[in-house]
Amino acid sequence: MQQQERELRELFQFLHDKNQHARHIALEILLSHTPKHAPYRNIFFDGLQSQSGLQSPKESTTITDLKLLCRDNLAIAHDAFRALVNLSDSPMIHPYLIEQSFFTFLVSYIVHPQATLGDLAAMLLSNLTTSPRSCTALLTLQIPILRTSTSAGPFYPTQSRAGTCAAPVPYPTDDETNVPALPLLVDAFVQGANIDPSVPLDKRPRKSELHFLASVFANLSTSLPGRLFFLTPQPLDPLQLETTRRVEYPLAKLVFFTEHNDTIRRGGVSSLIKNCSFYAQGHQAILTPDSETALVPPSNLPAPGIDALQHILLPLAGPEEFDLDAQEQLPEALQFLSPTKKREPDAVLRLAHVETLLLLCTTRWGRDYLRTHGVYEVVRALHEQETKDAVSEHVERLVNLLKRAEGPETAQDLQVEEIEEDDPDLRIEEI
C-alpha cells in the first residue's frame, strides 16, 4: 500500500469524529479523491462487493458516514453530497444508497422547499436512477409527511430533517401520512422552474431549482412502469389520493419545459417525452389538446389531453413564415412566430424531438394527426437550415412517412418491436 493511500485511509476515522472541525477537514481532503479518474478512488469501494452465499452486500463504514454527513451542517453536508454524487457514477454503490432509510431521506429532502442543497441531492438521485433497481425503488417509494398550514408549504416531509433543512416551527401536530413520493417530485420540479436565481436564498419560496430531476424522470421512463406513471392520470393535488377529484397526466405538467433556458431541464424533459412515445397506446393522449379528454390503457380513467405537439415542434421551429393555410393548421403557439425565434441550439435535443415525431408516426392515428397539424411544414423548414447529418436524415425519414400514401396495408398500427426489425424509417433507439 502506498504511503498516500495509507494516509487517506487514516482520515476515514475522522468522518464520524465528534469534533465538527475534524469531520469537515477530513471530508474536504477525501472529496478530491472521489471523482471518476482519481488515482485512489478505489478506497471508497473497499468492502462493497457482494458476500458469498445468501448474505447481502455489506456496507462499509465510510459509505455509512458519508450518508450521515449529508444531514450535517451546510459545509459538511455540501461536501458529503458531492462525494456521493461523484461515487454514484459506479453502480457498485447504488444498493447502499437506495436502502430504505437513506433513500427516504434523500427524496424527502429534495421535495422540501427549504432544503438548501436540493440541487446536489437531485444530482445524486439522477445518478442512482440510471440503474433499473433504483428506478423500481423510486416508483414504489412512499414518504411520511405531516400536513401543515405554514408559508413553507402544505406539508412537511418528516424524514427530510437535516442541518440544511430545518423542521417547521411550531412543529405540526397531525398524524403522519405515507404518500407516493413521485408526484411530490414532479410538483417540486415544476416549482423549481419558477425560481429567480437573483433572489437571495433566504427569500426564495423554494431554495433549489431541481433541474436534474428532469434526468430522473427521463431515466424512469426508459421502462414500461415508468412510462405508465407519466401516462396515468393523477390527482392535481398529490396529497389528495382519491382519483374521484380533478386529475391530470403527470407528463402534462412537464412538457412545457422543452424551451426552458436550462439545458439539463429541457434535455431531460425532451427525453421523457420521447421515451413515453414508445408506448403507442399513449399517443392519442400525448397529442390531444387539453380542452379534450383522452384515456391511456390499462387505466380506465380519462383526463385532459397532454397537448404535447406544440412543445415538440417549438424547439424545431425558426422564424420562417408559412402561407395562411399552413399557419391555420399549426398549433396556436406556433402561429406567427417572432422574427427573432431561434431553434433549439443543441443538435442532440433537436434529434430527440424528431425521433419523438417518428415514434408518434407508428400509429395511423398519430400520422394523420401530425399531417393535419402542420408538422410537415415545420420539419421541412428545419431541414433547409439543419447542419447536422443525423438530424437531417431523421427529418427525411419523417417526411417520407408523412407524405407516403396510406392504404389498407398501412391501416394497422405498427409496434415498436416490429418497426425496429422491419422498417428502417422508424428504427429508433431508447435513451
Side-chain angles (χ1 to χ4, degrees):
M1 183 184 298
Q2 297 183 20
Q3 177 66 22
Q4 186 174 0
E5 181 177 336
R6 186 180 298 108
E7 292 173 354
L8 290 172
R9 290 180 183 276
E10 289 175 357
L11 290 174
F12 285 157
Q13 62 185 308
F14 294 102
L15 293 180
H16 49 264
D17 196 277
K18 292 183 179 180
N19 186 300
Q20 183 181 103
H21 185 65
R23 296 197 304 273
H24 187 199
I25 294 298
L27 180 56
E28 195 172 38
I29 295 171
L30 289 166
L31 174 61
S32 63
H33 297 275
T34 58
K36 187 169 187 176
H37 298 295
Y40 299 107
R41 181 172 126 123
N42 64 295
I43 64 176
F44 296 94
F45 296 98
D46 284 357
L48 294 186
Q49 289 78 13
S50 297
Q51 305 298 306
S52 59
L54 298 177
Q55 292 180 325
S56 299
K58 185 179 180 181
E59 179 172 298
S60 68
T61 303
T62 304
I63 298 303
T64 302
D65 287 341
L66 288 174
K67 288 157 62 175
L68 290 173
L69 291 174
C70 289
R71 299 176 182 259
D72 215 312
N73 66 38
L74 179 60
I76 294 175
H78 179 274
D79 285 355
F81 271 121
R82 281 186 60 196
L84 289 178
V85 168
N86 290 342
L87 295 171
S88 61
D89 66 358
S90 169
M92 185 185 298
I93 200 176
H94 290 187
Y96 311 99
L97 301 183
I98 62 169
E99 55 83 15
Q100 187 69 25
S101 176
F102 182 76
F103 204 48
T104 300
F105 159 71
L106 180 66
V107 175
S108 299
Y109 185 87
I110 292 170
V111 302
H112 196 303
Q114 300 306 306
T116 307
L117 301 175
D119 288 324
L120 281 172
M123 291 174 68
L124 176 55
L125 187 60
S126 174
N127 280 357
L128 291 177
T129 51
T130 57
S131 71
R133 182 177 175 184
S134 301
C135 288
T136 299
L138 183 56
L139 285 166
T140 57
L141 181 67
Q142 295 200 344
I143 62 172
I145 64 158
L146 291 171
R147 295 178 184 272
T148 67
S149 56
T150 67
S151 58
F155 68 94
Y156 168 59
T158 58
Q159 296 302 306
S160 66
R161 185 177 297 190
T164 56
C165 188
V169 178
Y171 196 79
T173 56
D174 288 350
D175 294 332
E176 275 189 356
T177 304
N178 288 320
V179 297
L182 202 44
L184 299 180
L185 285 172
V186 170
D187 277 12
F189 177 73
V190 173
Q191 294 161 14
N194 298 321
I195 289 177
D196 183 352
S198 65
V199 175
L201 201 63
D202 60 347
K203 298 186 183 303
R204 298 180 188 176
R206 178 173 287 278
K207 296 187 184 300
S208 302
E209 295 173 294
L210 304 179
H211 296 317
F212 273 88
L213 286 183
S215 300
V216 173
F217 302 148
N219 291 338
L220 289 172
S221 65
T222 58
S223 70
L224 178 59
R227 292 168 193 156
L228 286 177
F229 166 77
F230 293 103
L231 294 173
T232 299
Q234 303 285 335
L236 284 178
D237 179 0
L239 303 183
Q240 178 58 260
L241 301 182
E242 293 86 359
T243 55
T244 55
R245 299 175 183 265
R246 293 180 61 195
V247 294
E248 183 178 23
Y249 290 106
L251 183 60
K253 295 182 176 182
L254 305 174
V255 292
F256 301 94
F257 300 119
T258 57
E259 292 249 289
H260 195 272
N261 290 333
D262 185 84
T263 305
I264 297 297
R265 179 174 283 258
R266 69 176 188 270
V269 169
S270 299
S271 297
L272 168 64
I273 299 171
K274 172 186 165 180
N275 290 340
C276 287
S277 298
F278 274 94
Y279 191 63
Q281 292 170 289
H283 286 185
Q284 192 161 347
I286 290 171
L287 293 171
T288 296
D290 56 12
S291 57
E292 305 172 22
T293 60
L295 186 148
V296 179
S299 172
N300 58 5
L301 183 65
I306 296 167
D307 200 12
L309 183 58
Q310 58 182 317
H311 305 292
I312 299 168
L313 290 181
L314 274 170
L316 302 178
E320 295 82 12
E321 293 185 8
F322 304 117
D323 61 47
L324 188 58
D325 289 341
Q327 290 280 9
E328 291 178 348
Q329 280 194 323
L330 290 167
E332 186 174 346
L334 281 96
Q335 296 179 10
F336 306 106
L337 292 173
S338 166
T340 60
K341 172 69 172 69
K342 295 183 179 180
R343 290 184 173 85
E344 166 60 56
D346 191 320
V348 173
L349 302 190
R350 294 198 303 276
L351 178 60
H353 290 303
V354 176
E355 289 182 327
T356 299
L357 294 171
L358 279 166
L359 284 167
L360 294 171
C361 282
T362 60
T363 56
R364 174 65 185 271
W365 187 93
R367 293 193 295 277
D368 287 343
Y369 191 92
L370 298 187
R371 288 175 181 131
T372 57
H373 286 80
V375 172
Y376 169 72
E377 301 295 338
V378 174
V379 298
R380 183 187 64 177
L382 166 66
H383 189 266
E384 292 174 354
Q385 303 295 324
E386 185 55 59
T387 59
K388 299 295 183 181
D389 289 343
V391 181
S392 295
E393 291 168 4
H394 280 70
V395 170
E396 290 165 9
R397 290 160 57 188
L398 176 60
V399 168
N400 288 339
L401 287 166
L402 293 175
K403 286 299 185 180
R404 75 180 183 182
E406 300 280 5
E409 70 282 359
T410 64
Q412 186 175 359
D413 292 345
L414 300 173
Q415 299 300 314
V416 173
E417 292 78 10
E418 297 173 357
I419 291 159
E420 290 177 340
E421 294 176 4
D422 302 330
D423 192 339
D425 280 343
L426 289 171
R427 189 175 295 120
I428 300 173
E429 296 180 357
E430 297 187 44
I431 55 176

